[in-house]
Amino acid sequence: MAFCRQNEWQMPGSGIMISFFDLKKINGRFRDEICHAVQKVVESGWYIIGEELQAFEREFASYCQTRYCLGVNSGLDALSLIIRGYGFSQGDEIIVPANTFIASFLSISENGCVPVPVDPDPDSLNISYRNISEAITPRTRAVMAVHLYGLPCDMDPICRLAEEHGLKVIEDAAQAHGAKYKGRMAGSLGHAAAYSFYPGKNLGTLGDGGAVVTDDETLAGNIVQLRNYGSKRKYFHESKGINSRLDEIQAAVLRVKLRHLDEDNEKRRRIAGRYMQKIKNPHIRLPFTTEKSEQVWHQFVIRCRNRDGLAEYLKKNGIETMIHYPVVPHRQKAYCELWDLTLPVAEKASSEILSLPMSPVLEAGEVDEIADCINRWES
Ligand SMILES: *Cc1c(COP(=O)(O)O)cnc(C)c1O
């Protein structure tokens, strides 16, 4: 993802004064705790599927209000293993929002299933219940609800519809660690959920990582073996599994960062509130909020007709922005079989969205500076 290369924007002389986010600063706050945790693993001599993973799985399941948590290698693997763990395969259709990160689609394709993209709701930009109901066919097996930008989807009608049609509801919660819908945790709202711990996520580690959370005992059992070469007992293989495990060092780092997640999300909410209050420009549409949800602002995404002009203007003023995402999956080369589809809400959004700097280390003064700069912009 583009933010791996954030140093490109921070080269001396580039003129960037407010970076999109600063991982060194984000993790630097917990430097001592993290180093201590990593050192403990180094000294333990046990690096894969050990006590740290077990403890993290217990703690994260409890945090998500689910019975099971299984650590895996990435958010993509978490999604993919849920699909495989349910036994979905060749030709099975899974409904997915058209404006998600490509990994949601890839997890479906990887298993031979068919991603069926639907337009999101034009206000929330999350998957729309109405469009899901129109996309259901006899081959539909599941709905993937992506809590985009940290805003939980409106899950009650989606789960009701899924129940009527015997479908599984898979949450892609990769942007929603700690988000709540009607007081309930993201990750506990459907049948199974996937999390990513990619460094830039709200709960991010020092490399790749992911997890599946679920109440479904059979699914959890399937994933325990699938992630470990299809094996429950060493050298005895019940299925053709893969190698996708959250290693001890990453689990130890995540245990430290989980303890700070709620306070970090609170900081994000304060920053979002400040943006909402201070940005006043008729050309800018502010992000959707709702009483139903406690969102965690993985991204703060505004919309603007002349988005490219605004991004260029902010860059000239030393403010770094990003676009999540500039090209929808069904317009990517990787998905040329979907090029005939027209999904106007997703396509229009991709040309208008702009993510402003957002992270728990962004200062109030920086937020004010960004808002003032946006308010001075005349399209
Ligand atoms: C980050 C992300 C993923 C993939 O997670 P990785 O750990 O990078 O594989 C999947 N879906 C969404 C919505 C994401 O933002």
Side-chain angles (χ1 to χ4, degrees):
M1 257 200 262
F3 43 70
C4 294
R5 289 180 276 111
Q6 63 167 330
N7 288 337
E8 265 173 34
W9 289 293
Q10 290 175 337
M11 296 229 278
S14 70
I16 293 296
M17 270 126 44
I18 304 179
S19 63
F20 189 72
F21 71 88
D22 183 344
L23 280 174
K24 207 164 138 179
K25 200 166 166 189
I26 289 172
N27 289 324
R29 299 173 300 159
F30 315 126
R31 187 183 179 280
D32 292 349
E33 277 177 273
I34 290 173
C35 288
H36 179 73
V38 170
Q39 193 179 349
K40 223 173 87 187
V41 176
V42 172
E43 286 167 4
S44 77
W46 192 279
Y47 307 119
I48 303 274
I49 309 200
E51 283 172 15
E52 291 293 334
L53 177 65
Q54 241 179 33
F56 173 71
E57 289 179 339
R58 210 169 41 236
E59 288 159 9
F60 197 60
S62 148
Y63 182 82
C64 293
Q65 302 166 358
T66 56
R67 285 176 67 194
Y68 304 100
C69 168
L70 291 318
V72 298
N73 196 54
S74 68
L76 172 57
D77 277 2
L79 286 167
S80 183
L81 285 168
I82 291 170
I83 293 168
R84 197 156 161 206
Y86 276 132
F88 301 145
S89 63
Q90 213 62 41
D92 288 342
E93 294 175 3
I94 298 180
I95 296 171
V96 63
N99 57 328
T100 183
F101 179 56
I102 195 88
S104 318
F105 276 60
L106 293 174
S107 68
I108 299 169
S109 313
E110 196 170 280
N111 287 287
C113 302
V114 181
V116 178
V118 299
D119 238 346
D121 172 79
D123 295 320
S124 71
L125 294 183
N126 267 337
I127 196 164
S128 137
Y129 156 81
R130 241 178 299 276
N131 294 339
I132 296 172
S133 77
E134 282 168 18
I136 294 173
T137 75
R139 305 243 39 185
T140 308
R141 297 289 174 267
V143 175
M144 193 179 285
V146 183
H147 307 311
L148 201 66
Y149 310 141
L151 169 72
C153 299
D154 193 4
M155 293 299 281
D156 281 349
I158 294 173
C159 291
R160 227 175 295 125
L161 183 69
E163 171 109 40
E164 278 165 29
H165 292 267
L167 310 176
K168 294 293 182 200
V169 177
I170 301 167
E171 296 175 72
D172 179 341
Q175 304 190 356
H177 318 73
K180 284 182 185 157
Y181 170 76
K182 297 185 178 174
R184 288 178 288 143
M185 252 325 161
S188 72
L189 306 168
H191 296 99
Y195 280 93
S196 162
F197 306 123
Y198 182 80
K201 309 288 185 182
N202 290 37
L203 178 60
T205 189
L206 305 183
D208 273 315
V212 173
V213 297
T214 185
D215 285 339
D216 184 330
E217 190 177 348
T218 310
L219 178 70
N222 290 345
I223 293 176
V224 164
Q225 32 160 308
L226 283 172
R227 73 170 173 184
N228 193 31
Y229 312 114
S231 156
K232 264 188 186 144
R233 195 172 136 214
K234 205 169 172 103
Y235 304 134
F236 292 83
H237 303 273
E238 286 147 72
S239 59
K240 299 185 185 74
I242 59 171
N243 174 357
S244 181
R245 305 172 298 208
L246 185 69
D247 66 66
E248 289 290 284
I249 288 184
Q250 303 305 340
V253 171
L254 285 165
R255 292 184 68 201
V256 170
K257 292 196 69 183
L258 181 58
R259 294 201 286 269
H260 299 282
L261 177 60
D262 285 341
E263 82 203 34
D264 270 5
N265 282 339
E266 191 49 44
K267 285 178 187 159
R268 288 172 182 268
R269 275 193 283 272
R270 276 207 294 276
I271 291 163
R274 201 169 180 100
Y275 271 136
M276 290 294 222
Q277 189 196 345
K278 304 249 163 166
I279 296 175
K280 290 191 171 71
N281 183 323
H283 302 294
I284 306 291
R285 180 170 176 184
L286 290 167
F288 178 85
T289 58
T290 165
E291 297 277 290
K292 281 183 203 163
S293 295
E294 214 172 284
Q295 52 204 101
V296 291
W297 300 101
H298 177 58
Q299 304 295 352
F300 188 90
V301 179
I302 59 173
R303 280 183 270 179
C304 167
R305 204 168 282 174
N306 180 11
R307 185 266 317 275
D308 293 340
L310 175 61
E312 192 55 32
Y313 160 85
L314 289 172
K315 191 172 162 202
K316 278 198 188 115
N317 284 276
I319 297 161
E320 187 186 357
T321 59
M322 294 191 69
I323 300 166
H324 300 97
Y325 301 91
V327 181
V328 288
H330 70 275
R331 287 283 174 271
Q332 300 277 0
K333 218 169 171 182
Y335 281 99
C336 53
E337 70 272 26
L338 298 176
W339 282 359
D340 287 342
L341 275 180
T342 303
L343 295 157
V345 178
E347 287 160 32
K348 184 159 177 273
S350 72
S351 72
E352 294 185 343
I353 47 177
L354 187 68
S355 308
L356 298 182
M358 169 56 84
S359 83
V361 299
L362 194 68
E363 315 264 342
E366 293 176 311
V367 175
D368 294 352
E369 202 179 310
I370 296 163
D372 287 346
C373 191
I374 289 173
N375 293 345
R376 288 195 302 273
W377 185 60
E378 295 166 359
S379 193

